[in-house]
Amino acid sequence: MQDYFHLHMDAKQLQSVSEAALAHVGDGVFELLIRSWLCCHGVLTNQELHRQTVALVTAPAQADFVARLLPLLTEEETAVYRRGRNCHTHPAPKSATPGQYARATGLETLLGWLYLTGQTERINTLFVAGMEAEHAL
């Protein structure tokens, strides 16, 4: 039975996965991390959980988040981020500039790639660093 919580796709398998698919997975990973972080930090009402989750997973918020992570990325991670940032996606939503949307897509692509390669510890390290930097301001 496939364990979808602990995937370990190799480089050959990942070649068949598009940037859009990586971003799709990464979007889910990021939202789950945000929801978990909010629950662990005492945000308990359903309305407030939803409000804060939506605020933190928007393209502008993700663009700010990835800006804090860029100095921490390895060369390979930076290459994956750029691959996602530079891929052709549908137009940016009205709430984000095209640049913000591209950076957010790059973040999601990176998180999807890390997840599919089984690097959940690295995802956690980057997530914690990004959240600590945001909330230390």
Side-chain angles (χ1 to χ4, degrees):
M1 176 172 68
Q2 178 70 43
D3 181 356
Y4 291 100
F5 276 110
H6 304 97
L7 293 172
H8 296 283
M9 293 177 74
D10 60 30
K12 185 176 179 180
Q13 290 173 305
L14 278 175
Q15 286 177 347
S16 66
V17 180
S18 70
E19 292 83 6
L22 291 173
H24 179 73
V25 171
D27 179 55
V29 170
F30 190 70
E31 185 160 342
L32 179 59
L33 289 167
I34 290 294
R35 287 173 179 233
S36 300
W37 187 88
L38 290 170
C39 286
C40 290
H41 286 82
V43 180
L44 301 175
T45 67
N46 202 27
Q47 181 179 4
E48 190 62 18
L49 282 169
H50 177 72
R51 188 188 69 73
Q52 288 192 34
T53 298
V54 169
L56 292 168
V57 300
T58 63
Q62 287 181 337
D64 291 343
F65 188 89
V66 77
R68 295 188 294 274
L69 297 186
L70 288 176
L72 307 175
L73 300 182
T74 66
E75 285 183 35
E76 186 176 28
E77 291 166 347
T78 300
V80 172
Y81 163 75
R82 286 185 183 142
R83 180 178 151 198
R85 183 195 66 195
N86 295 336
C87 78
H88 297 287
T89 58
H90 54 80
K94 291 179 183 178
S95 63
T97 67
Q100 289 171 323
Y101 191 68
R103 291 188 300 276
T105 302
L107 171 66
E108 292 171 349
T109 301
L110 173 62
L111 293 175
W113 179 80
L114 287 168
Y115 177 76
L116 291 176
T117 57
Q119 297 182 64
T120 54
E121 192 172 313
R122 180 63 175 157
I123 293 170
N124 191 64
T125 298
L126 292 172
F127 181 77
V128 169
M131 291 305 284
E132 285 179 355
E134 166 69 11
H135 295 281
L137 301 175

